[in-house]
C-alpha cells in the first residue's frame, strides 16, 4: 500500500488528503492546529500523524502551507526524509521555495519538485476540502532538471490519485511571471473592485458579471499578502499595466471621445478572441 504525507490541512492539503484516502492510500498528515488534525483523523481521511519518525516511509510528501513556512518545515524535516519519498510543495509562488528547497534536497539526498495545483475556490479551510477539487484541473511542475523524463513520469504517477487533467513543466521564474497575470492580478482587481461605495447597494442590480468579477475578492488575506510580496517584481508590472489601460478608458469617457472608447473596447474584444478563441 502506498503512503502519502501532507503538511497542512487547509483547502489544498485537505483536498489532497481526501483524494488519496479515496484512492486507498495510507494518509499521514501534519497540521499547525491540532484540532483540525484530530477532526481529519476522526473523519477517517487521515490514518495518522506525519512525524520525523515516519516521514521516510512515505512515497510522496506534499507541503501545502505558506511559502516561508514551507521552507522552514522542509529544513526541519530534511534530515529524516531519506531517499524514498518524492517531496513536493504546492505554494502559489515558486522562486522562494525552489531556490531554498533544491539545495536542501541535494544536501540530504532526497528528491524535491516544485508544484502548483491550478485549482481552488474562494473559500479556505479543511471544511471546504473535497476529493474532486483537482479533477481535470492543470498542475504546474517545476523540476530541478527540465529534461529528466523519468522524474516527470514518477511525478505524474504519484499524483494520479488527485486526477489532474494536464501537466505543465516550467521554471520557477517563468511560473512566477505568468502567475502574476493569471492569478494574482485577478485577486488584486477583484479585492479592489468591491471597495466602491456603490457595492453595498448592488443587490437587485447585479448578475453574472458582478459574481464573476468579485468571486476571488473573498480571500485568505495573510496568505495572499505573502504571495504578492514574494512576487511583487512581476505583480507590480501587471498592476501598472492595468492602471494604464483603465486610465485610457477613463480619459476617453472624460473627453466624450466615442471613437476612441469604441476602439479600446474593440481592441479588448479582439484580444480575448485571439487569446481564448
Amino acid at each position: 500500500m502506498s503512503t502519502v504525507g501532507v503538511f497542512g490541512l487547509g483547502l489544498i492539503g485537505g483536498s489532497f488528503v481526501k483524494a488519496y484516502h479515496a484512492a486507498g492510500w495510507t494518509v499521514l498528515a501534519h497540521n499547525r492546529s491540532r484540532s483540525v488534525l484530530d477532526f481529519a483523523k476522526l473523519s477517517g481521511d487521515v490514518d495518522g500523524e506525519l512525524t520525523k519518525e515516519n516521514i521516510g516511509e512515505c512515497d510522496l510528501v506534499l507541503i501545502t502551507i505558506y511559502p516561508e513556512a514551507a521552507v522552514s518545515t522542509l529544513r526541519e524535516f530534511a534530515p529524516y526524509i531519506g531517499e524514498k519519498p518524492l517531496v513536493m510543495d504546492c505554494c502559489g509562488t515558486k522562486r522562494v521555495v525552489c531556490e531554498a528547497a533544491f539545495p536542501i534536497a541535494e544536501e540530504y539526498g532526497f528528491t524535491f519538485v516544485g508544484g502548483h495545483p491550478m485549482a481552488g475556490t474562494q473559500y479556505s479551510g479543511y471544511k471546504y476540502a473535497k476529493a474532486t477539487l483537482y479533477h481535470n484541473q492543470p498542475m504546474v511542475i517545476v523540476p530541478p532538471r527540465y529534461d529528466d523524463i523519468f522524474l516527470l513520469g514518477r511525478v505524474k504517477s504519484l499524483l494520479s490519485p488527485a486526477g489532474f487533467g494536464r501537466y505543465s513543466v516550467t521554471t520557477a521564474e517563468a511560473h512566477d511571471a505568468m502567475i502574476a497575470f493569471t492569478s494574482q492580478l485577478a485577486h488584486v482587481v477583484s479585492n479592489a473592485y468591491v471597495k466602491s461605495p456603490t457595492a453595498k447597494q448592488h443587490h437587485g442590480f447585479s448578475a453574472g458579471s458582478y459574481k464573476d468579477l468579485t468571486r476571488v475578492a473573498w480571500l485568505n488575506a495573510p496568505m495572499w499578502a505573502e504571495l504578492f510580496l514574494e512576487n511583487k517584481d512581476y505583480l507590480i508590472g501587471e498592476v501598472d499595466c492595468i492602471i494604464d489601460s483603465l486610465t485610457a478608458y477613463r480619459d476617453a469617457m472624460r473627453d466624450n471621445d466615442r471613437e476612441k472608447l469604441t476602439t479600446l473596447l474593440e481592441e479588448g474584444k479582439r484580444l480575448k478572441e485571439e487569446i481564448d478563441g
Side-chain angles (χ1 to χ4, degrees):
M1 181 180 293
S2 299
T3 301
V4 63
V6 180
F7 286 97
L9 290 175
L11 174 69
I12 299 301
S15 294
F16 275 120
V17 159
K18 291 175 181 289
Y20 280 81
H21 170 72
W25 284 46
T26 297
V27 179
L28 305 176
H30 183 284
N31 194 67
R32 181 178 59 182
S33 170
R34 185 76 200 190
S35 62
V36 176
L37 176 60
D38 289 342
F39 177 81
K41 290 168 65 177
L42 186 64
S43 69
D45 296 329
V46 171
D47 298 294
E49 185 173 0
L50 179 63
T51 66
K52 293 173 182 176
E53 289 71 33
N54 62 22
I55 192 170
E57 302 169 10
C58 296
D59 298 280
L60 174 66
V61 174
L62 298 169
I63 306 177
T64 66
I65 51 183
Y66 298 1
E68 292 178 3
V71 172
S72 62
T73 296
L74 188 64
R75 284 200 178 103
E76 179 184 352
F77 279 78
Y80 309 93
I81 293 173
E83 296 181 356
K84 181 181 179 182
L86 173 75
V87 182
M88 175 182 292
D89 85 288
C90 298
C91 300
T93 57
K94 296 269 66 81
R95 284 177 293 172
V96 168
V97 176
C98 289
E99 287 170 8
F102 289 146
I104 294 173
E106 185 173 357
E107 178 182 356
Y108 288 97
F110 61 88
T111 301
F112 176 86
V113 174
H116 187 183
M118 302 305 298
T121 72
Q122 66 269 42
Y123 306 111
S124 60
Y126 188 78
K127 67 179 179 179
Y128 295 108
K130 55 183 181 179
T132 58
L133 181 69
Y134 305 116
H135 283 192
N136 298 316
Q137 299 303 309
M139 178 66 173
V140 181
I141 303 297
V142 178
R145 296 182 306 280
Y146 199 81
D147 59 349
D148 192 337
I149 302 302
F150 174 79
L151 174 59
L152 295 175
R154 182 184 175 198
V155 169
K156 292 180 69 174
S157 176
L158 289 170
L159 289 177
S160 59
F164 290 106
R166 60 187 182 275
Y167 293 85
S168 299
V169 181
T170 188
T171 64
E173 190 86 20
H175 168 276
D176 287 1
M178 185 57 67
I179 216 69
F181 171 72
T182 61
S183 176
Q184 294 182 338
L185 180 64
H187 283 78
V188 170
V189 171
S190 181
N191 196 263
Y193 174 76
V194 297
K195 292 181 178 179
S196 166
T198 313
K200 294 181 180 179
Q201 286 82 45
H202 83 87
H203 298 288
F205 295 86
S206 57
S209 298
Y210 173 84
K211 292 178 182 178
D212 289 345
L213 187 52
T214 61
R215 182 180 67 83
V216 294
W218 193 354
L219 46 69
N220 180 337
M223 181 189 76
W224 282 103
E226 181 176 330
L227 294 173
F228 291 166
L229 291 174
E230 288 179 356
N231 209 35
K232 66 180 181 180
D233 49 348
Y234 289 122
L235 181 54
I236 288 173
E238 294 295 344
V239 171
D240 286 343
C241 182
I242 198 168
I243 288 173
D244 290 344
S245 294
L246 290 172
T247 299
Y249 289 106
R250 184 204 61 191
D251 290 351
M253 289 183 278
R254 181 196 59 200
D255 298 339
N256 204 32
D257 190 339
R258 179 179 295 195
E259 183 178 352
K260 178 63 175 178
L261 184 58
T262 301
T263 299
L264 290 169
L265 294 170
E266 289 287 358
E267 285 175 353
K269 177 184 176 183
R270 175 178 54 80
L271 285 170
K272 172 63 176 175
E273 292 172 346
E274 290 177 1
I275 295 166
D276 297 321

